[in-house]
Amino acid sequence: MPILGLGTWKSATNEVYEAVKTAIKSGYRHIDCAAIYGNEKEVGDAIRESIAEGVVTREELWITSKLWNNSHGRDNVIPALTKTLTDLQLDYLDLYLIHWPVPLKPDAAFPLGEGSFYTLEEQPVSDTWQGMEAAYEKGLARQIGVSNFGIKKLEELLETSPVKPMVNQVELHPYLSQTALVDYCHAQNIYVTAYSPLGSSDRPEQMKGADEPVLLKDDTISKIADSKGISTAQVLLSWVKQRGISVIPKSVNPGRLAQNLAAADITLSDEEMHQINALNRDRRYIDGSFWTVPGSPHSLDTFWD
Ligand code: A2P
């Protein structure tokens, strides 16, 4: 997996086509997608045209997508994956992930409430995982994994599954360094991908807290950026990369796309890494509270376990 990829969550349908085309032209080889982002068709158009124009081959690209929550269950995975492949206009994915350990009823719609959720007893993740394994065995996904899983949920999955999850994609940045989870994953040969590495300030207002710290304006990060003549975003991305974690910043802006990709070639000193490590405050921007609404079987006390 190329260590630096392009995130497409929050990329509007009228912007993502150009963003993906520009990204591929400027050297991105890893695109992170999901059915719920509602833009896989436009991403697929950009991939298809980039290949048709000879800019890149399918084999040179790494395309990830994710199973949405209303398609949990062994028999629902391949139909959901087939829809994603149709939208992305691909024969196979490089990586397919269970997006959240949150099974929803097929017709569940926001705002969620009582009646939207299956409990994990009614719809165990291990059952969904069997569908993921079937997709893997058919070659529809060359690798399979999960997203938003904590250590306990990974342990449960590892106990029962013949094919182990190969990747866990989680929120990760200097305010949420995820050290224990990363150590656990690496010990189990599970590769980690970091989402929201820049703090996802473009996410919907209802997902934001009142007094959120702004990662891109952090003093320590800014000082390191100034001293190296690079941007704060580049410091944030290099810090993730240097921990052996892949990272998928989202941008639809040509200048920022190029800047972010260039972070793959920046090296931070040990002292700079230590200074950034010290910023951890276990602060989630995506705190999962939208899965713990009244009537939900989930609670924030245990959600990230
Ligand atoms: P834009 O798409 O206009 O570039 P995350 O990857 O953490 O979800 O963050 C995405 C947000 O960060 C978007 O608002 C995106 O805006 C912005 N962004 C992406 N790259 C940079 C950059 N290099 N500098 C500042 N903001 C950036």
Side-chain angles (χ1 to χ4, degrees):
M1 179 195 292
I3 200 139
L4 207 137
L6 175 66
T8 60
W9 175 41
K10 312 177 255 72
S11 297
T13 46
N14 62 346
E15 292 178 320
V16 76
Y17 169 82
E18 277 306 325
V20 172
K21 278 204 85 179
T22 305
I24 292 176
K25 211 168 268 173
S26 59
Y28 282 80
R29 293 293 176 261
H30 169 178
I31 317 283
D32 183 82
C33 315
I36 194 64
Y37 301 163
N39 55 13
E40 288 196 319
K41 171 85 176 61
E42 291 75 13
V43 173
D45 288 344
I47 294 172
R48 188 199 59 233
E49 294 216 359
S50 300
I51 293 173
E53 287 166 12
V55 179
V56 75
T57 64
R58 171 67 188 94
E59 292 67 36
E60 287 166 338
L61 288 172
W62 178 283
I63 311 293
T64 298
S65 185
K66 312 184 193 86
L67 176 82
W68 186 236
N69 297 358
N70 66 355
S71 301
H72 274 242
R74 189 180 37 202
D75 296 336
N76 298 326
V77 174
I78 289 184
L81 172 53
T82 303
K83 166 79 167 78
T84 270
L85 287 172
T86 303
D87 287 346
L88 289 171
Q89 304 159 59
L90 300 174
D91 302 329
Y92 69 93
L93 290 178
D94 296 276
L95 176 65
Y96 198 43
L97 305 175
I98 297 181
H99 205 148
W100 289 91
V102 180
L104 292 178
K105 303 260 171 87
D107 54 356
F110 289 93
L112 301 171
E114 206 156 347
S116 304
F117 295 86
Y118 288 117
T119 65
L120 286 169
E121 289 72 36
E122 288 169 332
Q123 180 51 76
V125 171
S126 56
D127 176 63
T128 304
W129 188 253
Q130 287 179 18
M132 300 291 285
E133 288 174 328
Y136 174 70
E137 274 147 23
K138 276 179 173 276
L140 297 174
R142 296 201 168 167
Q143 299 209 12
I144 51 174
V146 295
S147 181
N148 296 300
F149 275 48
I151 293 176
K152 189 157 173 266
K153 294 190 180 75
L154 286 170
E155 278 172 349
E156 284 166 8
L157 200 52
L158 288 170
E159 262 171 35
T160 56
S161 52
V163 182
K164 308 296 174 209
M166 298 156 196
V167 172
N168 187 19
Q169 183 181 123
V170 294
E171 180 181 344
L172 190 151
H173 44 70
Y175 292 164
L176 181 68
S177 59
Q178 300 267 33
T179 315
L181 180 59
V182 170
D183 287 350
Y184 175 82
C185 287
H186 286 175
Q188 298 293 335
N189 275 328
I190 299 171
Y191 195 60
V192 178
T193 299
Y195 75 67
S196 296
L198 307 176
S200 284
S201 59
D202 57 341
R203 70 197 187 287
E205 286 305 313
Q206 65 268 27
M207 288 175 77
K208 293 187 180 176
D211 51 355
E212 286 194 349
V214 181
L215 201 47
L216 282 163
K217 292 198 178 138
D218 180 274
D219 279 350
T220 304
I221 304 286
S222 301
K223 278 190 195 127
I224 295 173
D226 289 348
S227 73
K228 298 178 88 73
I230 61 177
S231 72
T232 52
Q234 288 177 314
V235 176
L236 294 169
L237 299 173
S238 332
W239 173 80
V240 178
K241 174 208 71 168
Q242 235 161 289
R243 295 176 63 201
I245 296 166
S246 59
V247 61
I248 46 169
K250 171 265 177 185
S251 183
V252 290
N253 172 282
R256 290 191 284 274
L257 282 168
Q259 191 193 111
N260 294 347
L261 184 64
D265 299 321
I266 293 168
T267 303
L268 301 174
S269 69
D270 289 349
E271 171 55 25
E272 289 162 343
M273 289 296 289
H274 287 311
Q275 283 178 29
I276 302 172
N277 292 344
L279 298 177
N280 181 48
R281 49 182 92 168
D282 294 334
R283 175 66 162 81
R284 291 181 189 277
Y285 289 110
I286 316 299
D287 69 2
S289 52
F290 39 90
W291 303 130
T292 62
V293 292
S296 162
H298 306 284
S299 105
L300 276 185
D301 303 343
T302 54
F303 189 78
W304 297 104
D305 289 356

